[in-house]
Amino acid sequence: MTTTAKAYAAPAAGEPLAPIEIERRDVGANDVRIDIEFAGICHSDIHTVNGDWGPQPFPVVPGHEIVGRVVEAGADVTKHKVGDRVGVGCMVNSCGECDNCKAGDEQYCRQGMIGTYAATDVDGTTTQGGYSTHVVVDADYVLSIPEGLDPAAATPLLCAGITTYSPLKHWNAGPGKRVAVVGLGGLGHLAVKIAAALGAEVTVLSQSLKKQEDGLRLGASHYYATSDPDTFSALANSFDLIINTVSAKIDVSAYLGLLDRNGAMVNVGAPGEPLDINVFSLLTNRRTYAGSMIGGIPETQEMLNFCAEHNIGSEIEIISADKVNEAYERVLASDVRYRFVIDASTLA
Ligand code: NAP
Ligand code: ZN
């Protein structure tokens, strides 16, 4: 028997979100039903509902940073039990059989991962995300929220946290590494916290110095405004790793010029339009320009445990569900410190 969830959905591209009721599938043998406590607002939600990434199966209930409690577990579920505090990120299933899935990189599943919303589920229905009262998910794609993490502050870790943790680990951020984070938003502020906790020397490259005090408090040692052209000459050839979290088109070549020999710039920001590169900015210093998409289930659990150990949560502003459209406007205006989280109890 399906259950009815209350939710907020975008009815069509670019239209404001509005209340809706959606059906959640019955709890299958390997599923859990989660009563949602908090859902984060990621800039990807906004790209999706605004049509930046192409046509979508509207209505779309966004939300891929989800924390709540297990209220029902299928007969075969051993990983989670009723009462556990759990999380769901950007993916709710994958083939589980291919080499990438077997390696724990389910986000790169060769059949394509199944996204938490606006994706075709295994039963042919369209997935609907976390701006809702409850959700039913295959237990293998559900994370454990460690004790000691505040549940609301942990919510953004499910996307923003893993998306920055994964490339920081892959490109060996740690002691002796000079890491720059471009954009101090949802992803950027967690990149700063995580990179600092890994022992790297962190620099924030933000459009202005407005958030400098915050950046230093979050763990950065240096903070520069990219609106100041002197920044690019002062910092030439001075980073080992740059994590670009910007949601819009930037002059990639100018940032590549900041990399030292063998340095890498990793794009996690996902603007819809193509970015231009002057190849000479890559040839110099044998630089790498790369990308990275979220992270697999094992690494997401590792990240949550790391954050619990290092007392890392997101800086959040908790809102009621009816403020979601206002929050979207503020994210688009870079006016977020540093993640909006919907209190899902305001949906009921
Ligand atoms: P966000 O909170 O809006 O942060 C983006 C930051 O980028 C802003 O706070 C701002 O920082 C900077 N920025 C915005 N517009 C800019 C512009 N025109 N020029 C220069 N800087 C600008 O967004 P988010 O949730 O962190 O997401 C960031 C991007 O990552 C989005 O494109 C999102 O879709 C993508 N994403 C990718 C993945 C993945 O798997 N790769 C996962 C999640 C999100 P300052 O004010 O400090 O300049
Ligand atoms: Zn996201």
Side-chain angles (χ1 to χ4, degrees):
M1 228 187 36
T2 61
T3 50
T4 304
K6 293 191 169 166
Y8 258 70
E15 282 189 23
L17 277 69
I20 191 176
E21 290 194 345
I22 53 169
E23 290 303 302
R24 296 298 194 185
R25 70 166 181 263
D26 189 17
V27 176
N30 202 38
D31 289 338
V32 291
R33 188 165 73 231
I34 301 164
D35 269 1
I36 298 173
E37 297 175 291
F38 299 103
I41 295 179
C42 178
H43 206 120
S44 300
D45 302 346
I46 302 173
H47 285 311
T48 304
V49 305
N50 282 353
D52 298 349
W53 293 347
Q56 303 295 331
F58 291 102
V60 169
V61 176
H64 57 209
E65 294 178 335
I66 302 170
V67 165
R69 294 267 189 197
V70 174
V71 290
E72 190 180 343
D76 296 344
V77 175
T78 52
K79 192 179 166 195
H80 305 288
K81 57 179 193 311
V82 171
D84 285 357
R85 183 166 269 135
V86 294
V88 178
C90 300
M91 127 181 96
V92 290
N93 222 323
S94 68
C95 84
E97 304 284 324
C98 71
D99 52 343
N100 288 348
C101 283
K102 286 224 149 73
D105 271 337
E106 302 93 339
Q107 76 278 30
Y108 305 128
C109 174
R110 293 195 190 273
Q111 312 281 326
M113 69 166 205
I114 297 179
T116 303
Y117 60 80
T120 304
D121 210 341
V122 279
D123 61 4
T125 60
T126 300
T127 56
Q128 298 288 12
Y131 301 180
S132 61
T133 48
H134 67 271
V135 64
V136 176
V137 182
D138 185 309
D140 291 341
Y141 295 81
V142 173
L143 291 306
S144 299
I145 304 298
E147 288 285 325
L149 274 183
D150 173 74
T155 301
L157 300 177
L158 276 308
C159 173
I162 183 59
T163 300
T164 49
Y165 180 86
S166 187
L168 285 168
K169 290 286 286 195
H170 187 81
W171 276 274
N172 301 313
K177 296 280 181 181
R178 300 156 297 171
V179 175
V181 174
V182 189
L184 195 67
L187 267 58
H189 91 289
L190 285 171
V192 170
K193 286 192 177 196
I194 292 167
L198 288 167
E201 180 184 339
V202 183
T203 299
V204 174
L205 302 175
S206 179
Q207 293 168 93
S208 73
L209 295 178
K210 268 195 306 215
K211 297 176 278 191
Q212 182 170 26
E213 214 171 284
D214 286 353
L216 300 178
R217 175 175 55 81
L218 298 171
S221 304
H222 318 281
Y223 200 107
Y224 291 87
T226 53
S227 53
D228 179 354
D230 289 347
T231 293
F232 290 89
S233 42
L235 298 178
N237 311 314
S238 64
F239 298 111
D240 302 300
L241 177 63
I242 299 176
I243 305 284
N244 172 25
T245 75
V246 175
S247 48
K249 183 173 181 170
I250 59 169
D251 180 0
V252 173
S253 306
Y255 289 85
L256 287 169
L258 307 185
L259 289 171
D260 206 348
R261 189 168 55 96
N262 298 329
M265 170 153 159
V266 184
N267 227 88
V268 290
E273 74 222 272
L275 305 178
D276 307 315
I277 294 182
N278 174 341
V279 293
F280 290 96
S281 63
L282 279 174
L283 307 188
T284 307
N285 278 344
R286 201 197 282 133
R287 294 165 176 143
T288 301
Y289 182 50
S292 186
M293 191 169 76
I294 52 171
I297 296 297
E299 193 173 40
T300 304
Q301 191 63 58
E302 176 188 307
M303 175 276 308
L304 287 166
N305 299 346
F306 175 89
C307 288
E309 202 177 305
H310 293 268
N311 205 14
I312 294 174
S314 177
E315 312 279 303
I316 54 169
E317 192 173 324
I318 299 181
I319 58 165
S320 55
D322 59 345
K323 293 283 187 287
V324 64
N325 294 305
E326 237 169 81
Y328 274 27
E329 289 306 315
R330 285 184 52 196
V331 172
L332 285 169
S334 299
D335 176 23
V336 50
R337 294 191 184 201
Y338 283 87
R339 199 60 143 186
F340 289 106
V341 171
I342 299 168
D343 175 353
S345 70
T346 62
L347 283 157

